[in-house]
Amino acid sequence: MAANVALLSASSPSTSASSILRRRPPPRCSACPRRAASRLSVVAAMSDDPIKEWILTEGKATQITGTSSIGGGCINAAQRYDTDAGSFFVKTNRRIGPAMFEGEALGLKAMYDTKSIRVPLPYKVGSLPTGGSFIIMEYIQFGRSRGDQVTLSRNPFHSKKKSALGRKLAEMHKAAKSDKGYGFYVENTIGSTPQINTWTADWIEFYSKHRLGYQLKLISQRFGDSAIYEKGQRLIDNMHPLFDGAVIEPCLLHGDLWSGNISADTNGDPVILDPACYCM
């Protein structure tokens, strides 16, 4: 997993702070040791903050000019980092390890690679020194109203934006057919709920076991609701006849597409984010 996520980093080779210090010329005056000590303290401070370290090395910035909080929902905190190399969007979670953000990064990259609908490009996933994890990605400036893409309105402008979203999603689905069946390369999360993505050859088996069946199991474990569990199992047992003759081709899905995960950029083009990707 770590190797896969590493491929999402900036393409330029990483240069460690320690290698930069090794290449510096030897001190020529009595003040130089103090300057070297100062440089070492800066390097130590950067290593304590892996977000700033990445931005100031692989992110190609030489200065962070400001940070500001952005609504990150009920699970993660989100910040915008402004630098002399542009802005970055950063999400952090102080309680959950990097696996959640690794799944998100791989989903974003898979959608990005279809070159269809706009999604933020993920750059880096890592652990925080004090516990938890982070993800750094492309910062996309949104237009005036996030959520207009699915606003139910008779206004033709809203209808036009909704149809643009639908066309772009269709392009993504057509561009990302799966030859491995139904599932995804990693397990991920929908919100904070684990999502099982084991590759499966049959659509009904995948949906019965890893979607309906898994959710019913969680309901039973958390709430002890045997009535809902039994009704769900009856549905699963009788699903095959409902899809007799259906031809289902697995393709890449966003996986958690609702109004809160849809926006538009300043040009009015649709943007989707916060995925829970899988092929189905």
Side-chain angles (χ1 to χ4, degrees):
M1 173 62 65
N4 288 337
V5 173
L7 294 176
L8 303 177
S9 298
S11 58
S12 60
S14 174
T15 304
S16 68
S18 59
S19 65
I20 293 173
L21 287 173
R22 282 197 299 270
R23 289 200 299 267
R24 293 187 184 277
R28 296 180 181 176
C29 65
S30 59
C32 286
R34 289 195 296 272
R35 291 174 188 158
S38 175
R39 285 195 299 271
L40 286 169
S41 67
V42 170
V43 170
M46 283 177 58
S47 65
D48 291 337
D49 190 335
I51 297 170
K52 290 183 179 178
E53 182 175 4
W54 185 91
I55 289 174
L56 295 174
T57 54
E58 294 181 67
K60 300 180 180 178
T62 61
Q63 182 181 12
I64 295 173
T65 57
T67 61
S68 55
S69 294
I70 302 175
C74 58
I75 300 172
N76 306 304
Q79 284 190 308
R80 169 180 168 174
Y81 280 68
D82 294 315
T83 79
D84 56 355
S87 296
F88 298 91
F89 180 70
V90 178
K91 290 200 296 187
T92 57
N93 190 297
R94 300 289 175 177
R95 297 177 292 105
I96 301 176
M100 178 181 70
F101 287 142
E102 287 171 354
E104 179 178 352
L106 289 171
L108 287 169
K109 187 64 165 58
M111 294 191 297
Y112 183 91
D113 285 345
T114 66
K115 297 179 173 60
S116 53
I117 192 166
R118 190 170 187 191
V119 299
L121 177 63
Y123 296 130
K124 178 69 176 178
V125 172
S127 299
L128 294 169
T130 55
S133 54
F134 68 90
I135 179 171
I136 305 172
M137 65 183 80
E138 174 190 7
Y139 177 79
I140 296 177
Q141 180 67 53
F142 294 146
R144 184 172 57 183
S145 178
R146 177 174 174 173
D148 272 352
Q149 298 291 339
V150 290
T151 300
L152 297 178
S153 170
R154 294 182 180 178
N155 187 322
F157 178 63
H158 287 146
S159 298
K160 188 181 295 185
K161 290 203 292 185
K162 285 187 289 183
S163 63
L165 171 64
R167 284 194 301 271
K168 290 293 185 180
L169 286 171
E171 289 174 16
M172 183 183 82
H173 297 158
K174 290 179 180 179
K177 301 288 187 179
S178 168
D179 58 2
K180 296 177 68 67
Y182 306 90
F184 199 53
Y185 302 98
V186 295
E187 319 290 26
N188 51 25
T189 59
I190 181 165
S192 58
T193 303
Q195 185 163 260
I196 308 302
N197 294 317
T198 305
W199 288 112
T200 308
D202 181 73
W203 180 85
I204 293 177
E205 180 184 351
F206 175 81
Y207 194 71
S208 298
K209 184 176 181 180
H210 299 309
R211 290 299 177 265
L212 287 180
Y214 184 68
Q215 290 291 331
L216 289 168
K217 178 182 175 182
L218 293 179
I219 290 172
S220 178
Q221 290 174 344
R222 182 170 181 179
F223 302 106
D225 193 331
S226 59
I228 290 292
Y229 181 82
E230 290 169 4
K231 289 178 181 178
Q233 286 299 321
R234 284 201 298 273
L235 172 62
I236 289 173
D237 293 339
N238 291 281
M239 277 183 63
H240 275 86
L242 299 175
F243 296 93
D244 278 346
V247 178
I248 304 172
E249 291 185 83
C251 64
L252 181 66
L253 303 182
H254 176 283
D256 190 15
L257 198 62
W258 66 290
S259 60
N261 290 341
I262 300 168
S263 189
D265 61 20
T266 53
N267 295 321
D269 294 324
V271 179
I272 55 176
L273 55 152
D274 294 343
C277 284
Y278 57 97
C279 296
M280 195 172 82

